[in-house]
Amino acid sequence: MGDFGDVAMLGPMAAGTVLVAAFAFRRTSEPLIRLLRRARARELLTERGPVTGVLADTEDGPVEVRADLVIGADGRHSTVRVRADLAPVSDSPPMDVLWFRLPRRPEDRVPFFQGGKGALISIDRGDYWQIAYAIPAAAFAELKAAGLPAFRNRVAELAPALRDRTQQIDGWEAVHQLTVRVDRLPRWHRPGLLCIGDAAHAMSPAGGVGINLAVQDAVATANLLGPLLARGGRPADTDLARVQARRQRAARMTQAFQLGILRVRP
């Protein structure tokens, strides 16, 4: 958790890091940042309605952090949005994504997306392929019951170019199950508080673009609210709405694309 004078940021991900850096860049004349490690937000502090800070649990006990603006960048399971009574909506049921790696060779020609029994996303990471295999929710138990050879065969059918190395999936411990729900907040803010990144619009792993959206949210937040905060102002709810208006279209379009390619069948 970061506390830098007039802003309290909660979240471990890149959005939070970039946000802190962006505000710091705007106000380098002041000692801004106090980083609280292993601090977990428990409750929001309010004063006659608006959010005025957070109560966090730390290794040294509870700590109150007061701020003109609280930013929830704490991911798809956001504590901040729950405590703020900001409820997400979803256009799709949850799905499971099986996340694993296979070696990549320079001559590989592997499509980004292949559909069939599930949907296979292959992300080029240089010396390996990061694979996201989307299946209906709760279908992983059936896959495990069928055994690793059957799973390897499914992968090979969807990505024939990788057939000769599926044997490197040598145990289920190499396959990480993610239960994914693509959702969004109809309203990203309330007086004194703003959610960004997955806390505002949870993305699927498809394409590995969630972190890009989170960073863009953070930069837009810094650009739109930084000058006001630098003058000692407290952002009004209309100011927070400008951040949502700037960013929500890109988030919704990306989610629609992800849901389109991840329509899966058993």
Side-chain angles (χ1 to χ4, degrees):
M1 184 173 76
D3 166 23
F4 40 117
D6 42 21
V7 180
M9 184 284 299
L10 298 103
M13 302 304 289
T17 304
V18 172
L19 188 62
V20 170
F23 276 114
F25 177 78
R26 289 182 174 277
R27 299 181 60 191
T28 52
S29 62
E30 301 178 27
L32 295 176
I33 300 172
R34 179 166 61 113
L35 179 63
L36 304 181
R37 296 182 180 274
R38 296 183 176 87
R40 183 179 295 274
R42 185 203 308 172
E43 298 291 345
L44 298 176
L45 304 176
T46 61
E47 187 173 325
R48 295 187 296 275
V51 175
T52 57
V54 296
L55 175 64
D57 292 321
T58 74
E59 293 179 333
D60 298 322
V63 173
E64 285 192 4
V65 178
R66 297 284 177 174
D68 291 334
L69 177 63
V70 172
I71 297 176
D74 51 339
R76 66 175 58 247
H77 304 295
S78 171
T79 298
V80 173
R81 75 181 186 185
V82 171
R83 296 292 184 265
D85 293 323
L86 298 174
V89 297
S90 177
D91 292 329
S92 71
M95 69 187 76
D96 284 345
V97 173
L98 307 183
W99 197 246
F100 57 96
R101 297 181 181 186
L102 288 174
R104 181 185 176 278
R105 298 171 188 156
E107 67 273 16
D108 281 346
R109 295 293 181 268
V110 179
F112 171 71
F113 168 79
Q114 287 291 322
K117 289 187 175 181
L120 196 77
I121 309 294
S122 302
I123 305 170
D124 183 350
R125 297 298 194 201
D127 59 349
Y128 68 91
W129 292 103
Q130 181 66 66
I131 309 294
Y133 180 42
I135 57 176
F140 190 35
E142 297 177 15
L143 275 179
K144 292 179 77 172
L148 270 175
F151 176 67
R152 295 189 196 109
N153 189 56
R154 277 201 180 197
V155 174
E157 288 177 351
L158 289 168
L162 302 178
R163 180 180 295 275
D164 62 351
R165 65 206 84 165
T166 57
Q167 291 296 324
Q168 297 197 33
I169 308 172
D170 55 5
W172 290 112
E173 63 275 6
V175 180
H176 304 282
Q177 179 188 15
L178 307 174
T179 297
V180 174
R181 185 177 181 89
V182 177
D183 62 29
R184 65 184 182 278
L185 293 177
R187 181 182 176 91
W188 296 14
H189 56 91
R190 55 174 281 189
L193 179 141
L194 174 69
C195 288
I196 61 174
D198 272 4
H201 46 76
M203 316 302 287
S204 94
V209 298
I211 191 170
N212 297 332
L213 271 291
V215 168
Q216 292 164 16
D217 285 357
V219 172
T221 302
N223 287 338
L224 291 170
L225 303 183
L228 173 62
L229 289 162
R231 297 193 299 270
R234 180 187 294 268
D237 210 40
T238 52
D239 297 312
L240 306 182
R242 290 172 60 211
V243 177
Q244 178 175 352
R246 171 75 63 87
R247 295 296 309 145
Q248 68 179 351
R249 184 170 182 269
R252 294 193 66 170
M253 289 180 64
T254 304
Q255 287 183 331
F257 168 75
Q258 291 182 323
L259 291 173
I261 65 174
L262 288 178
R263 299 295 180 190
V264 299
R265 63 181 178 85

